[in-house]
Amino acid sequence: MTSNINDVNKAQSPVKGFSLYALSIFMLSVTDASAKWLTTGYPIGEIVFFRSIFSFLPLLFVAYKGRITLTYKSQNYKANILRAIVVVFTAVTFFISVKHLPLANATVLSLSNPFFMTLLGLLILKEKVSNLHWFFIFVGFLGVIISVGGLSSGSILYSFIGIISAFLYAIGGIVTRYLSRTDSAITIALYTTSFLLLFSIFTIDYNWRMPNSYDLVIFFVMGLTGGLCNYIATSALSSIDVAKVAPLEYTIIIWAAFFGFFFFNETPNLYTIIGSIMIIASGIAHIHSTKS
């Protein structure tokens, strides 16, 4: 049975949309931590390759359980291709950033994307954003800027790359919101995963190496959570405004601090802590005002 744009994978209410997007952020944090671990021994192209290979698994499972035919048939091929390309560059720039920065710092920088998501949602999708919501988004973005103050001068370049990744991520979110009006979540995710795989194949060179059994498990976890994150986030954005779920991006800093401390022996500095508090506070306030 072929899926349509109103298939069972779409979130049916704002509450479910919020819940799905929060879950996708947790999945993304696991993906990021796995990538951080792998960048110490593997080239970025190889990491993207295994991420895309294992990301196909949740798509196949969802298609099987829902009796959905995986297809590239789309109402908007150009938008799907654009989103896929944007996601490829988002992943690459983030991997570069997280390789050279502590996980918490790289994650905080990525949290500038709600500002970009809200701005693009207003300009492109004509979504309504109140002055109060703009204030909360601004406070969160200011927290991102403050966190950069705790980095060394040698890390500024990778910080800038991290912000570029956040901007690209926001563009991907906007295109996803646009595509969800015509295409199913699984079709959108299929395009993205396929393009990630295609990109990685062109990066094959002598630097690639066969992962050991332990790293292969981490590759599997990274790909699985990455694939689930992509699909779940797409499902959430099919039923709720980008600006409303944008603050949920801030919850990733909690997961990043946890993974950074326990797996990489990283302790956030004072600037990162202050910036994170501002980010989380603004996110909670934004969510509360959205519900009221």
Side-chain angles (χ1 to χ4, degrees), residues 114 117-118 121 127-129 137 240-247 286 290:
M117 288 175 73
T118 303
E127 295 178 351
K128 295 181 179 180
V129 183
I137 292 293
I240 192 166
D241 288 347
V242 168
K244 291 181 179 179
V245 297
H286 191 143
T290 300

Side-chain angles (χ1 to χ4, degrees), residues 209-222:
R209 66 185 183 89
M210 181 63 66
N212 56 44
S213 57
Y214 181 80
D215 288 344
L216 192 60
V217 171
I218 299 178
F219 272 120
F220 173 77
V221 171
M222 179 186 66

Side-chain angles (χ1 to χ4, degrees), residues 127-206:
E127 295 178 351
K128 295 181 179 180
V129 183
S130 69
N131 291 334
L132 182 61
H133 291 164
W134 271 118
F135 171 75
F136 294 142
I137 292 293
F138 174 77
V139 171
F141 188 68
L142 183 61
V144 172
I145 296 176
I146 290 175
S147 69
V148 176
L151 298 174
S152 64
S153 58
S155 300
I156 297 300
L157 172 62
Y158 300 110
S159 301
F160 180 68
I161 292 175
I163 292 177
I164 290 177
S165 178
F167 178 70
L168 292 172
Y169 184 91
I171 293 177
I174 295 299
V175 179
T176 299
R177 179 64 176 162
Y178 173 74
L179 272 171
S180 66
R181 299 170 180 174
T182 58
D183 288 8
S184 67
I186 198 165
T187 296
I188 298 171
L190 181 62
Y191 268 89
T192 300
T193 305
S194 298
F195 267 73
L196 281 168
L197 178 61
L198 181 63
F199 164 81
S200 65
I201 290 176
F202 284 102
T203 69
I204 296 177
D205 60 20
Y206 64 91

Side-chain angles (χ1 to χ4, degrees), residues 245-267:
V245 297
L248 291 176
E249 300 285 337
Y250 299 137
T251 60
I252 197 173
I253 187 59
I254 300 174
W255 300 116
F258 175 82
F259 291 133
F261 179 79
F262 283 99
F263 293 104
F264 305 105
N265 197 30
E266 298 173 349
T267 303

Side-chain angles (χ1 to χ4, degrees), residues 25-35 221-222 225 255 259:
I25 296 304
F26 170 73
M27 294 290 184
L28 180 61
S29 68
V30 175
T31 304
D32 293 346
S34 301
V221 171
M222 179 186 66
T225 55
W255 300 116
F259 291 133

